[in-house]
Amino acid sequence: MIVEVDSGVFAEHANAADVIRLFDLFIREVHAWAPDISQIEDVDSFFGTHVPMMRQTYRSLAEKTVSASPWQPVNTAPTVQVTVESLTDHVHDLSVPAVLLVENNASDKSFLRAVAMVLDGDDVLTAIRERTLDIRHGGGKHDAGRQAREAVDDFRRLPRVALLLDSDRMRPGEATKCHQIAERAREQGVAVHVLEFRETENYVPNRVLALDVRRGGATTVSRKLTALKELSPDQRAHFDMKHGFRAQRGAPVVPHRAHGGLYDGVPAKTLVKLSEGFGSDLTERMETAAAQGHVRRSDLSSLGEGVVEELRGVLHMLRTIV
């Protein structure tokens, strides 16, 4: 996060320990300080009094930060304003990792890392790697929502908590229980994103699925991928990518009635080919493919209008808490 420090903080010597803790976060680049040129002498005097051996280090930090700020790109992360009155609470809140609750921290973490790799999210990848972003396992949407609300209480002034949920939509625009859970969390100060598509797996591009065909020559995967490409963007977005249509033995493949008429007109042979889905490790495969450079922005945009913008929005949400 970008942090502004009121000049009065440097004149208040009773809280020197908190100021030192705060500036340690800047030195370690956990957060970024946004000083103005008038504060260079304040910093020099303060640390010259309390930590004389580190005086030049902190002065150099101030000078470099001031000189670099006009040339840095606009950062959309929020600015935290630390005052004498808020110092202790803000140091507490900024010293602990930001918290992201997800339904499954294995598959969802893979999804987020893959998206960050493809959409210029190096800062988010760093936060995950260095654990300044704590991605917690919710164990399902209801528990994830509850834990997110509870995590807010661990912060004093700045609730650095977010919640990412699948939508579980069976058709476009459907309001589900996930949206109700999201609204309750927002009311408690949690930053929330509910995916537009059914699940994270629906954002796995065809290119990732095609890699299995290229590597193993798997005819079954090839047939399923061909069938998947016959679906419209809305149909693909609400298809159960992991399990397919789950046909009962001996019965014709019929989409669940909750889909409404979404799959009307899809040939029966296409439904049959998609009856088994593509497996439960799709986001892990997406992360591996992204790490190898096999996933591009165009692969995500091919999934539907607004997909790239939505996923950039997810990364922005994380930046607002990290």
Side-chain angles (χ1 to χ4, degrees):
M1 296 190 114
I2 299 175
V3 182
E4 292 181 351
V5 182
D6 186 83
S7 295
V9 168
F10 303 113
E12 177 55 65
H13 296 284
N15 293 325
D18 283 332
V19 178
I20 293 168
R21 288 178 60 200
L22 177 63
F23 272 72
D24 179 60
L25 297 174
F26 303 150
I27 291 290
R28 293 189 290 114
E29 298 183 348
V30 176
H31 300 291
W33 178 35
D36 61 61
I37 195 167
S38 67
Q39 293 183 314
I40 294 177
E41 296 306 321
D42 294 333
V43 168
D44 186 72
S45 175
F46 180 88
F47 287 102
T49 299
H50 295 284
V51 196
M53 293 183 64
M54 295 288 290
R55 179 178 192 168
Q56 188 55 46
T57 297
Y58 290 113
R59 183 182 179 94
S60 296
L61 172 68
E63 292 173 341
K64 290 178 181 178
T65 306
V66 168
S67 62
S69 57
W71 307 103
Q72 293 176 345
V74 175
N75 195 317
T76 55
T79 299
V80 181
Q81 296 183 326
V82 177
T83 65
V84 174
E85 293 75 22
S86 72
L87 175 62
T88 299
D89 288 345
H90 271 138
V91 168
H92 171 273
D93 292 346
L94 292 168
S95 296
V96 297
V99 176
L100 172 66
L101 264 297
V102 294
E103 298 179 51
N104 184 304
N105 71 338
S107 62
D108 290 335
K109 187 183 291 185
S110 287
F111 171 69
L112 289 170
R113 283 193 292 230
V115 170
M117 284 183 225
V118 178
L119 298 181
D120 304 315
D122 288 349
D123 53 337
V124 174
L125 290 170
T126 297
I128 295 173
R129 182 176 62 252
E130 297 185 357
R131 299 189 178 182
T132 54
L133 175 63
D134 181 12
I135 301 179
R136 296 184 184 176
H137 182 73
K141 55 182 175 289
H142 290 285
D143 277 350
R146 174 185 57 79
Q147 291 181 54
R149 296 194 305 272
E150 292 175 352
V152 170
D153 293 335
D154 295 334
F155 295 85
R156 299 177 183 178
R157 288 177 181 255
L158 192 64
R160 300 168 57 223
V161 182
L163 173 65
L164 177 67
L165 294 173
D166 292 335
S167 68
D168 292 345
R169 281 175 167 158
M170 301 290 276
R171 57 186 183 275
E174 180 185 12
T176 68
K177 291 181 180 178
C178 300
H179 296 91
Q180 297 173 13
I181 293 168
E183 189 56 37
R184 289 186 62 194
R186 287 191 188 98
E187 291 172 355
Q188 299 299 314
V190 178
V192 184
H193 186 92
V194 182
L195 295 173
E196 290 294 320
F197 289 179
R198 180 172 176 168
E199 298 175 314
T200 54
E201 287 79 9
N202 294 93
Y203 294 83
V204 176
N206 291 346
R207 185 184 297 273
V208 174
L209 305 177
L211 288 174
D212 288 341
V213 178
R214 294 197 205 108
R215 290 168 182 164
T219 56
T220 300
V221 175
S222 180
R223 286 197 297 267
K224 287 192 289 187
L225 181 55
T226 299
L228 185 70
K229 292 177 180 179
E230 295 175 13
L231 300 183
S232 71
D234 279 345
Q235 289 168 341
R236 189 193 191 284
H238 297 85
F239 170 62
D240 188 340
M241 292 286 291
K242 290 182 288 187
H243 305 293
F245 288 113
R246 299 188 182 187
Q248 295 183 356
R249 179 174 295 181
V253 178
V254 179
H256 195 285
R257 62 179 179 275
H259 287 300
L262 182 61
Y263 295 97
D264 289 354
V266 176
K269 62 180 181 180
T270 301
L271 298 177
V272 170
K273 291 176 183 176
L274 293 173
S275 61
E276 295 181 355
F278 290 85
S280 59
D281 63 341
L282 290 175
T283 58
E284 290 88 342
R285 285 150 60 186
M286 181 179 177
E287 180 186 4
T288 299
Q292 295 172 345
H294 295 310
V295 185
R296 298 189 289 265
R297 179 186 179 280
S298 58
D299 297 317
L300 297 177
S301 62
S302 70
L303 296 174
E305 185 178 354
V307 169
V308 170
E309 290 75 12
E310 180 192 4
L311 296 180
R312 287 195 189 282
V314 172
L315 296 179
H316 173 71
M317 178 183 74
L318 299 180
R319 291 183 178 111
T320 66
I321 64 169
V322 172

